[in-house]
Amino acid sequence: MQNSCLQVFSKFNFGSLVPSTGGKETGLHLIAPLATNMKSAEEDAFNYTPNVTLSLPISMGNPCLSTQYHSLHSGSIIPMSSCHQDGYGLHNNSGASGYYLTPNLRPNGAPALESPRIEITAYGQFPEDEMEENTLPIAKRVNSIVTLTLPNADGYRDPSCLSPASSLSSRSCNSEASSYESGFSYNYDNSPQNSPWHSPCNGKRKYSFNGAPCRHPSYSPGHSPTVSPQGSPRVSVPDEAWLANTNQYTNSAIVAAINALTTDGIVDLSDSVPLKSRKTSLEHSASMSLKKENYCGGFLDVPQHPYPWSKPKPYISPSLPSLDWQLPSCSGPYSLQIEVQPKSHHRAHYETEGSRGAVKAMSGGHPVVQLYGYMESEPLTLQLFIGTADDRLLRPHAFYQVHRITGKTVSTASHEIMQSNTKVLEIPLLPENNMRAIIDCAGILKLRNSDIELRKGETDIGRKNTRVRMVFRVHINQPSGRTVSLQAASNPIECSQRSAQELPLVEKQSVDSSPATGGKTLVLNGHNFLPDSKVVFVEKAQDGHHLWETEAKVDKDSFKSTTLLVEIPPYRNQRISTPVQVNFYVCNGKRKRSQYQRFTYLSPNVPIIKTEPNDDYEPKGAARLSVHSKAYYGLPTPAMPADPGHCLVGGYPSSSPTSSPKLHDLSPTAYPKCLSGGQSHHAGMQPALPGAPAIQETPGRPMGMHPGSPDHAPLVMLPPQMAPHLGSPGTGGCSHGYRPPALYPNGSPASSPVSHPSTPETPFAPAYSPPQAPPTASPHLTAIPTRSSPPVLLREDSSPPTLAVTVKQEPQELDQMYLDDVNEIIRNDLSSISVHSHA
DNA sequence: TCGCTGGAATGATAG
DNA sequence: CACTATCATTCCAGC
């Protein structure tokens, strides 16, 4: 009993992991298997459940999630308060976010207990338990207690998903949300909402009774909670999968607790966990010394990859930044770049389907990610998860999960871990490979909307919410003890079959600017172009009103389904003194429009911004970024209102589409360039680079805001609650150039939302305080109070409003109408916020 | 046979 | 409430 905590781990780990894996790529099919092996998972769950009791008084409920999201839907105001953020934070087990959460509020508004407690009762059913005890380092054992008090329960769990019960729908991780949800519920959550026995049917959406949601009621503990009506494979979950999910909750909580008990705040779980606890891994491959970097169930994963996992230098902090935190892509000497962007379309597979393979690159290969500026010899771990691509801040996508792909064709080793409710693929970044990784091991799993939407606390809707981004992260431990976390998000990826087949898509444009007189030929490369496709140029005011719209002439003679020759129409005012940014889109008919593409009309008096087509795959080094950054500064920011007004914080992100994408656009499409490592530099320099996937915004949508700002100043990572509600899911873009990384001493990003003046130019200015540390944050942190946004990095040198300047971005829908519903809601929210802030 | 696709049928939703 | 266009999911079939 002394080390109940550990025991818990082991229990989770053991279970059926081994069996299910069958020695074959266990991790590979976490999701898919889940569907088919759900039953076993459940069984396991039950078996284990009795042993572990988690008491999370703090409210599993997201303090604000319910309300916050509801607000969104209703078009009500999105609270800039912590509440909204909390919601996000809760989703993450990492705890990082949790720290940001308002600890004393419960979803229902009632005060929450200050410290959630995890009560673990170890029965020692498992032989492993003993082993663990013995093997546990004494130091670690000391921490093993029956009851753990967590610094902040909210921190590691989303109310909705929090409870294992609710599962994760986010579980996502599971696509089996509904499925395992129940299993989890039994164990941890008594909440009616989470309980499998409580019909989700009373959810926000009404699904047919055969719908997964309604099936739950009939489930009994002994049976798969999510039995699919049609005998869907979702019935059972592979042991490992299940475990992973299950652990996700418990692990994070437990780990957090353990970590809280540690003095250094940094705990290498893998070290603390008896090897036996990770026997699965061991059994599968002795050579694979997988080191679970993620305290959240990392050790639960079973290494299945045949390739040697070189035990990259793991980032082992109990407080990894929450996945919904906005991190920069570059910091100091480091720069995380997506050298090769994924294709804009990738049909995700359902659990009921077989894998649809790994996400590919436009070039036919696979996405490539590289970390620049890292000179150490120690390998690092590149994390990958599926994030959102809407107007809001980047965050894990509730309806999609990364899916590990393995097989002969996969050359990159990887393994899965669960962080919060999000599945994270960890890929080694090896010095011998120049810290470059080919992402050929990542597919995308689509979770059923009904499963996710019914999840307690989940307010996002899945319908038409089919665009995602691949989000890469790397955590670099500094000698000082701090950890630099970088993040790069890919261009948006449309995951629906329909969209991929019907919606026109512009991948490249030969030029992104032209004199106001127009007349030049613009070559568009993409997909789904039709002989009668139209190309419409649009200029919108910051308030979203159309100022100008004209249809460009398309050379039908040269038509190709993948190419359109367009004559750039003259701008309405050919005497502009500064560049004017407009957008254009390809239209195949009503509701079938491409995302907005950026285009800039130049004034004869304005220096022409580099407009040569860029190769999307052109490698970019940190140095180069730096250059861009500078260049960026020097560039005129014409249509780009850098005024605070554009900042969500200050008001509604009303930046018009005309805003220069360079600084402000975090639109999903823009992100890639601005925020994501891959093209960050581009963003800084120019709106849309030819040759690069065009920035796409959804026509008719407000542009997203982004914290864009010159990157020389250190940025601050803001917690969700504190972060300005940026329209862009940006990755915190360092896109424009040098960007201070998110730092957190002791690896605890959890720091507070509170900001402090930081030292300009400090390479690692922003530091996160450990979870234990209240929202005081490091001196370098600059917090901009925001309500529901995830943490965002902001420049320290700039005033918050300015720094956080974000231009309202347009959703990058392939189909203008595509996400209208969702965006409408968001827009309403933003508007509300705007009103609020102004008020 | 299995994994990966491309297509498409079918039922659910939204307007 | 009926009807239709869209979407989301599930199935199939080919390679």
Side-chain angles (χ1 to χ4, degrees), chain A residues 615-690:
Chain A
D615 180 346
D616 290 343
Y617 309 133
E618 179 182 359
K620 301 120 188 179
R624 181 175 177 177
L625 289 175
S626 211
V627 172
H628 281 291
S629 296
K630 290 188 175 184
Y632 172 76
Y633 282 117
L635 295 175
T637 56
M640 193 164 326
D643 65 276
H646 291 285
C647 176
L648 285 177
V649 175
Y652 180 68
S654 56
S655 58
S656 64
T658 58
S659 305
S660 165
K662 301 165 185 174
L663 290 180
H664 307 288
D665 184 18
L666 289 183
S667 65
T669 40
Y671 316 153
K673 295 185 176 184
C674 298
L675 300 177
S676 66
Q679 301 176 339
S680 54
H681 38 298
H682 289 287
M685 291 307 289
Q686 38 191 28
L689 296 179

Side-chain angles (χ1 to χ4, degrees), chain A residues 16 20 29-48 164-169 171 173-187 194 196 212 215-216 219-229 231-246 249 351-352 447-448 451:
Chain A
S16 37
S20 65
H29 310 308
L30 258 184
I31 296 174
L34 290 180
T36 58
N37 301 320
M38 191 56 181
K39 186 173 182 177
S40 64
E42 284 185 359
E43 294 174 352
D44 292 345
F46 285 105
N47 294 334
Y48 298 115
S166 49
S167 120
L168 356 216
S169 54
R171 24 167 21 347
C173 358
N174 10 328
S175 26
E176 273 311 38
S178 46
S179 309
Y180 347 56
E181 182 170 76
S182 347
F184 291 99
S185 322
Y186 305 137
N187 303 328
N194 293 330
R215 301 172 211 150
H216 295 287
Y219 300 146
S220 63
H223 299 293
S224 171
T226 47
V227 175
S228 171
S232 159
R234 308 190 335 153
V235 176
S236 62
V237 176
D239 296 341
E240 64 273 21
W242 188 89
L243 289 176
N245 291 308
T246 306
Y249 296 103
E351 294 173 320
T352 54
L447 304 180
R448 286 183 298 196
D451 289 342

Side-chain angles (χ1 to χ4, degrees), chain A residues 580-596:
Chain A
V580 174
Q581 178 150 17
V582 301
N583 294 345
F584 71 84
Y585 59 85
V586 176
C587 179
N588 284 352
K590 183 182 179 181
R591 301 179 72 83
K592 291 185 178 179
R593 299 182 187 181
S594 69
Q595 295 175 6
Y596 272 134

Side-chain angles (χ1 to χ4, degrees), chain A residues 732-755:
Chain A
C734 173
S735 28
H736 303 304
Y738 166 76
R739 204 164 256 200
L743 292 182
Y744 26 98
N746 297 333
S748 18
S751 77
S752 64
V754 174
S755 64

Side-chain angles (χ1 to χ4, degrees), chain A residues 719-732:
Chain A
Q721 7 350 18
M722 296 306 290
H725 188 79
L726 300 180
S728 76
T731 51

